[in-house]
Amino acid sequence: MLAEQVMRAFWPFFSILMALLAALMLGLQDLVRIETVWVCAGIGSLALITTAILGIRRFHVPTRAAALVRLDETLPGRPIQALMDDQAIGTMDADSVALWHAHQARMAERASKADPVKPDLRLASHDPYALRYAALLALVVAALFGSFWRIGSVADMTPGTAQAGQGPTWEGWVEPPRYTGLPTLYLADQTDPTLTVPKGSRITLRFYGEIGAHSLTETTTPLGTEAATEPEQDFVADRSGQLRIDGPAGRDWALNILADAAPQIEVAGSAESEAGGQMKLPFTAADDYGIVSGSARIELNLPAVNREFGLATEPEPREIITVELPMPITGDRTEFTEDLIEDYSQHPWAHLPVKITLMAADAADQETIAEPYLTELPARRFFDPLAAAVAEQRRDLLWSRENALRVAQLLRAVSHLPEDLFRSDTAYLRLRVILRRLETFDQFGALNLKQQEEIAQALWDLAVLIEDGTLADALERMRRAQERLTEAMQNGASDEEIAELMQELREATQDYMQQLQRLAQENGDSQNQQGQNGETLQMTQDDLQRMMDRIQELMEQGRMAEAQQALEEFQQMMENMRVTQGQGEGGQSEGQQAMEGLAETLREQQGLSDQAFRDLQEQFNPGAQAGESQGNEGQSGGQGRGQSHEGQGGRGQGQDQAGDGQQGQGGSLADRQQALRDELSRQEQGLPGGGTPEGDAAREALGRAGRAMDEAEGALRSDDLAEAIDRQSEAMEALREGMRSLGEAMAQNQQNQPGQGTEAGDMQANNRDPLGRAPGSAGSISTDDNLLQGEDVYRRARELLDEIRRRTGEQERPQIELEYLKRLLERF
């Protein structure tokens, strides 16, 4: 209570006192006329006296009675006051006296449990503008950057006799270059005879008193200074030397000048091609005070080019590629590692030897050029032979327009028999149009630079069309993905390219399975009837996923032969596969639909997070996103085919975002986040697995995801992108956890209902193929058992072949089964 009285009564006095001390310690009295100093001193003294008198009048010493009342207010029932009261009536009645004593005993017990009352030192109601904090801040700044000894200079400021009373004195400061981030040094406080300061530091001296009483001698500048007596000295120290002040209060120092080291930069690893064809070049940079900017210079290494075929002619001159190096948006730039990611797939130098030279610059305009890094320019690789041939002829055309006739002849020769070569009539017709244009331009000698670029772009689009394809049929698309993966194995693809092709195979397989499922729904009766006539091997989606993961693992380990065998077995199995209906089931179960819906929500949330991150980058580095769009196109959530982020930020929305720019992005992202939250609420209502621990865990995780989405929406509406990204990450993690819990609930439900949806037993239950053999090792679909079992294997083979022929002649069988039987006859 005493502290409360002091603070409430004397806070204006303390605030004015701190403000006056801060002004004196910072030396503000030395910057104005002496008359102004004394006027301010008078006003300050009057304010101190007034606030002290008012504080004394408001101050009251706390009494014991007030302390008891304050303590009693914190206890229920005011027990202390009850103990101090006397019985007013019923003193002659024994029962009343006993009741009173019992009441006081109860109050005494409550009073014995009283805790000390905490003081209430809040002054917001007395100081609504927080002037006390402003005065305290000024005092802290003065303590850090000022000097307590400056207060004494006021005593020497007597009007009319300032010069005589003050006497000769001096002040000095050493201000390092601003980019170093080092503090200013006050020379009067430097007791060390040696001062170490950065090169380019500005030294300022002021002499007070009689002119000539103090003089400066320094050797830190090229010309130096000898016994200079001007009242103000200002110079920049460029080299080590001596700094001496001669006079009554003279001092001297040996200045050690630290030179600004040149920045360092070098390539930190090999240049690689990512899945989308982007070049990824890691580099490290370091500087004593931080890197300001950097650039990469890419030029053709002509002596290292294999001058054969279309490259035998002299190349047309092309500008050297110069790109800015990415810098850390936040954090320290004294030492960091970053990746230069650019897409040069369409550049004429793609896959040709180049020299990459990195350059870094610091704030002192010092530049360092690293040793040239020799490599082949990473770019997109084409695994389809026809697409690779078209891309190679495009490169030869861009190499020199003299290759136009040769390019036309080769393309015409390649497309001489298009029946077995082109999978799409569109691709063949495009090639014929390109050939006619190219031959016409070459015939009349009118192939200029603009036409060269147009034909090169048309050839690039054709190569991409042939490589990616426009196949509508799911089976053909899956076969195409498998062929591209086979080409990648043979050509030694990188891990990133393998991952991209495996993702394409997964998508094509998923489309194929959905098509089979639709056919199964249309022909459910006939297939169920067939399932009763023959043996089947049932596989789940997880089994297929594990097979493809195994193929990718073998490829990444370099075991290409095993991977090729596993891929062939997977291809045969998928072509021979048919989807059957479960007993009493039609289409996907409720749990599968819920799982697919949550997966789609997760992809859309990832896309939103990616777009918010790109907007955040644009805030810190305006204009950088447009320059990086070519290098980053195709990554997750962008315009391209993201690996797993095909939500609103991915395939569906990427182009619109790229075209609309950045205007209105905050509101648009917030609206999309709100819509995604509403969709998650709808999915929560129909979530299966209620009442089970796994189902309850899934609902709890989705609830956390919904709350994180709400917080992300609020952050987006307030343009706090960093906070929004954090909340979106929490939402995605909660969604993944909910999906895992839901999967466990579905698996538990399947265990409780054995046999549902199967025809001839689950593959995971009996682990046997239709012939009763155990599967092979290493995850393959083949078997390690001896196929030649029994006494008369040849008779058995003949019986199987006759049975296949008999079933082939039964036209009432489903079309997909008849096609499978025909393929068996063609093979065996």
Side-chain angles (χ1 to χ4, degrees):
M1 294 177 66
L2 180 63
E4 292 176 355
Q5 288 292 331
V6 172
M7 292 299 298
R8 293 172 182 173
F10 294 102
W11 74 264
F13 176 80
F14 295 146
S15 300
I16 295 175
L17 181 61
M18 288 189 294
L20 292 176
L21 287 176
L24 294 175
M25 292 172 65
L26 289 173
L28 300 182
Q29 68 275 13
D30 299 332
L31 304 179
V32 297
R33 298 178 59 182
I34 190 172
E35 291 80 3
T36 304
V37 173
W38 288 111
V39 169
C40 294
I43 296 174
S45 300
L46 181 61
L48 286 175
I49 295 172
T50 303
T51 53
I53 294 174
L54 293 176
I56 293 173
R57 293 180 60 184
R58 287 194 297 262
F59 179 76
H60 299 286
V61 178
T63 63
R64 183 176 183 276
L68 290 176
V69 172
R70 179 74 175 274
L71 180 61
D72 200 20
E73 291 176 350
T74 62
L75 299 175
R78 300 290 183 94
I80 298 178
Q81 184 64 41
L83 292 175
M84 298 171 62
D85 291 342
D86 295 327
Q87 186 176 3
I89 60 175
T91 56
M92 305 303 294
D93 186 3
D95 292 337
S96 298
V97 172
L99 180 60
W100 175 256
H101 289 164
H103 172 65
Q104 284 197 317
R106 188 183 304 112
M107 295 297 103
E109 183 181 358
R110 288 187 183 179
S112 64
K113 299 178 181 179
D115 295 325
V117 181
K118 297 181 181 179
D120 184 9
L121 302 179
R122 293 174 295 179
L123 300 176
S125 59
H126 301 275
D127 182 17
Y129 298 105
L131 299 178
R132 63 193 185 282
Y133 290 133
L136 178 60
L137 176 61
L139 183 62
V140 171
V141 171
L144 292 176
F145 302 102
S147 175
F148 184 78
W149 305 108
R150 292 187 181 180
I151 301 177
S153 64
V154 180
D156 299 330
M157 293 185 177
T158 304
T161 60
Q163 183 174 347
Q166 178 179 356
T169 186
W170 60 272
E171 279 188 312
W173 300 268
V174 179
E175 183 182 359
R178 183 166 299 179
Y179 67 84
T180 63
L182 298 177
T184 299
L185 301 178
Y186 186 60
L187 280 176
D189 295 339
Q190 306 305 314
T191 59
D192 196 331
T194 301
L195 290 181
T196 302
V197 296
K199 184 179 180 180
S201 298
R202 179 172 296 277
I203 300 177
T204 302
L205 293 173
R206 291 177 181 172
F207 297 150
Y208 305 105
E210 183 180 354
I211 296 178
H214 288 97
S215 62
L216 168 67
T217 300
E218 57 88 13
T219 59
T220 61
T221 57
L223 299 179
T225 302
E226 183 71 26
T229 59
E230 288 78 5
E232 185 169 344
Q233 304 287 336
D234 190 356
F235 60 93
V236 176
D238 292 330
R239 60 187 181 186
S240 300
Q242 195 74 16
L243 175 64
R244 187 174 72 251
I245 300 176
D246 298 317
R251 297 276 300 277
D252 67 287
W253 297 270
L255 260 63
N256 181 25
I257 302 300
L258 287 179
D260 191 343
Q264 300 178 0
I265 188 171
E266 61 181 2
V267 176
S270 58
E272 298 177 350
S273 175
E274 293 193 326
Q278 301 93 341
M279 178 192 72
K280 180 180 179 181
L281 180 64
F283 67 92
T284 59
D287 186 67
D288 46 2
Y289 298 114
I291 301 292
V292 174
S293 62
S295 63
R297 176 187 175 95
I298 304 175
E299 55 184 326
L300 181 65
N301 187 10
L302 191 59
V305 177
N306 187 12
R307 305 293 295 277
E308 293 181 344
F309 308 114
L311 303 180
T313 59
E314 287 298 320
E316 295 179 355
R318 291 195 175 272
E319 295 182 358
I320 296 175
I321 304 174
T322 303
V323 294
E324 294 293 326
L325 293 178
M327 295 287 117
I329 299 177
T330 59
D332 190 13
R333 291 191 180 184
T334 57
E335 185 175 0
F336 61 90
T337 300
E338 284 287 344
D339 294 328
L340 172 62
I341 299 179
E342 294 289 340
D343 191 355
Y344 296 111
S345 299
Q346 300 189 44
H347 198 276
W349 297 344
H351 301 297
L352 292 181
V354 294
K355 292 189 297 184
I356 303 178
T357 305
L358 303 182
M359 186 276 293
D362 61 8
D365 295 331
Q366 297 184 103
E367 294 185 355
T368 296
I369 299 178
E371 291 292 329
Y373 173 70
L374 304 181
T375 184
E376 291 186 354
L377 187 61
R380 174 174 180 173
R381 300 176 62 184
F382 291 92
F383 297 104
D384 185 280
L386 180 58
V390 172
E392 180 181 355
Q393 296 310 307
R394 172 186 176 275
R395 180 204 63 188
D396 293 347
L397 180 62
L398 289 175
W399 180 265
S400 175
R401 281 173 287 174
E402 297 179 4
N403 291 329
L405 179 60
R406 179 181 181 277
V407 170
Q409 292 175 345
L410 284 174
L411 291 178
R412 185 170 291 279
V414 167
S415 60
H416 176 59
L417 297 176
E419 291 80 8
D420 300 329
L421 186 62
F422 288 89
R423 300 176 182 271
S424 168
D425 294 339
T426 303
Y428 175 68
L429 294 177
R430 284 192 181 185
L431 178 61
R432 301 301 299 179
V433 172
I434 295 172
L435 274 175
R436 283 196 295 269
R437 293 189 62 195
L438 184 58
E439 290 174 344
T440 302
F441 289 144
D442 181 72
Q443 179 180 359
F444 294 98
L447 185 62
N448 54 34
L449 290 176
K450 182 178 180 181
Q451 295 165 348
Q452 179 191 30
E453 293 294 335
E454 291 178 356
I455 295 179
Q457 184 62 44
L459 288 173
W460 174 263
D461 296 338
L462 176 61
V464 173
L465 174 63
I466 297 173
E467 178 77 7
D468 295 340
T470 57
L471 305 175
D473 182 72
L475 176 60
E476 189 65 22
R477 183 184 172 202
M478 186 182 66
R479 291 174 180 171
R480 179 66 178 149
Q482 293 167 348
E483 291 176 4
R484 291 185 61 194
L485 193 58
T486 301
E487 292 287 341
M489 294 181 190
Q490 298 174 356
N491 296 336
S494 63
D495 293 344
E496 291 80 3
E497 293 168 335
I498 290 175
E500 176 76 9
L501 294 174
M502 285 302 302
Q503 178 63 22
E504 181 179 349
L505 178 60
R506 288 186 176 94
E507 295 175 357
T509 304
Q510 181 67 25
D511 294 342
Y512 179 58
M513 294 295 295
Q514 292 177 357
Q515 181 182 6
L516 286 179
Q517 188 174 13
R518 288 193 297 269
L519 291 175
Q521 294 175 358
E522 295 173 359
N523 304 320
D525 297 337
S526 61
Q527 287 191 5
N528 285 334
Q529 182 179 1
Q530 173 61 24
Q532 299 174 358
N533 298 331
E535 295 178 332
T536 61
L537 173 65
Q538 184 175 12
M539 298 189 68
T540 65
Q541 186 69 24
D542 292 337
D543 298 328
L544 298 178
Q545 185 66 35
R546 283 192 293 269
M547 290 173 60
M548 288 186 284
D549 291 341
R550 179 59 179 170
I551 294 173
Q552 182 174 357
E553 180 182 355
L554 291 173
M555 294 178 65
E556 292 175 349
Q557 294 176 357
R559 300 158 64 181
M560 293 302 175
E562 299 179 37
Q564 180 66 31
Q565 180 183 359
L567 181 62
E568 292 176 357
E569 294 170 353
F570 176 78
Q571 182 176 359
Q572 294 174 10
M573 183 198 66
M574 293 301 298
E575 291 181 355
N576 298 335
M577 178 178 291
R578 64 182 178 88
V579 175
T580 58
Q581 296 284 341
Q583 297 177 0
E585 290 183 352
Q588 293 178 324
S589 66
E590 183 181 1
Q592 291 173 337
Q593 294 176 356
M595 187 68 76
E596 289 186 1
L598 292 177
E600 181 65 22
T601 301
L602 179 60
R603 285 193 294 269
E604 293 179 357
Q605 183 62 78
Q606 181 65 62
L608 281 176
S609 180
D610 293 343
Q611 182 61 40
F613 181 73
R614 285 193 293 271
D615 292 349
L616 182 62
Q617 285 182 316
E618 183 67 16
Q619 286 184 2
F620 285 98
N621 192 8
Q625 186 174 358
E628 295 175 358
S629 61
Q630 294 181 352
N632 295 331
E633 184 175 317
Q635 293 181 354
S636 302
Q639 290 178 336
R641 185 177 57 255
Q643 184 170 344
S644 61
H645 309 151
E646 297 175 359
Q648 293 182 2
R651 191 185 308 221
Q653 300 288 343
Q655 277 185 327
D656 295 341
Q657 292 165 359
D660 292 342
Q662 297 301 326
Q663 63 181 22
Q665 285 292 345
S668 176
L669 289 177
D671 294 340
R672 289 166 54 191
Q673 184 67 70
Q674 181 182 6
L676 194 60
R677 174 65 178 97
D678 297 340
E679 175 63 19
L680 180 62
S681 299
R682 186 192 64 78
Q683 293 172 351
E684 286 185 73
Q685 296 176 359
L687 199 66
T692 63
E694 295 83 1
D696 294 341
R699 285 173 169 80
E700 192 276 333
L702 295 184
R704 287 190 283 108
R707 290 190 294 272
M709 288 182 180
D710 290 336
E711 295 175 359
E713 177 192 351
L716 288 172
R717 295 197 184 280
S718 59
D719 292 333
D720 190 355
L721 294 178
E723 177 68 17
I725 292 173
D726 292 340
R727 301 289 78 78
Q728 288 170 341
S729 299
E730 294 180 4
M732 289 186 289
E733 183 60 30
L735 279 173
R736 294 188 183 98
E737 183 177 345
M739 293 175 65
R740 286 194 295 268
S741 300
L742 180 59
E744 294 174 358
M746 294 170 58
Q748 185 70 23
N749 185 36
Q750 290 179 359
Q751 292 179 1
N752 296 333
Q753 300 176 357
Q756 182 177 359
T758 63
E759 291 182 346
D762 194 349
M763 184 193 73
Q764 296 178 347
N766 53 35
N767 203 25
R768 313 289 287 183
D769 69 356
L771 299 181
R773 299 168 301 188
S777 59
S780 63
I781 305 304
S782 61
T783 178
D784 295 334
D785 295 344
N786 185 11
L787 297 179
L788 299 178
Q789 299 177 0
E791 298 179 355
D792 191 355
V793 295
Y794 299 100
R795 182 180 58 82
R796 179 58 178 161
R798 172 66 64 180
E799 291 175 355
L800 290 175
L801 188 58
D802 291 341
E803 179 65 16
I804 293 174
R805 289 171 178 167
R806 184 187 65 80
R807 296 189 180 187
T808 305
E810 297 176 359
Q811 298 300 321
E812 66 274 13
R813 292 182 177 273
Q815 184 65 27
I816 187 171
E817 182 182 356
L818 292 176
E819 293 177 358
Y820 169 55
L821 294 174
K822 290 179 182 179
R823 286 196 298 271
L824 288 179
L825 289 177
E826 292 173 358
R827 180 163 185 175
F828 299 101

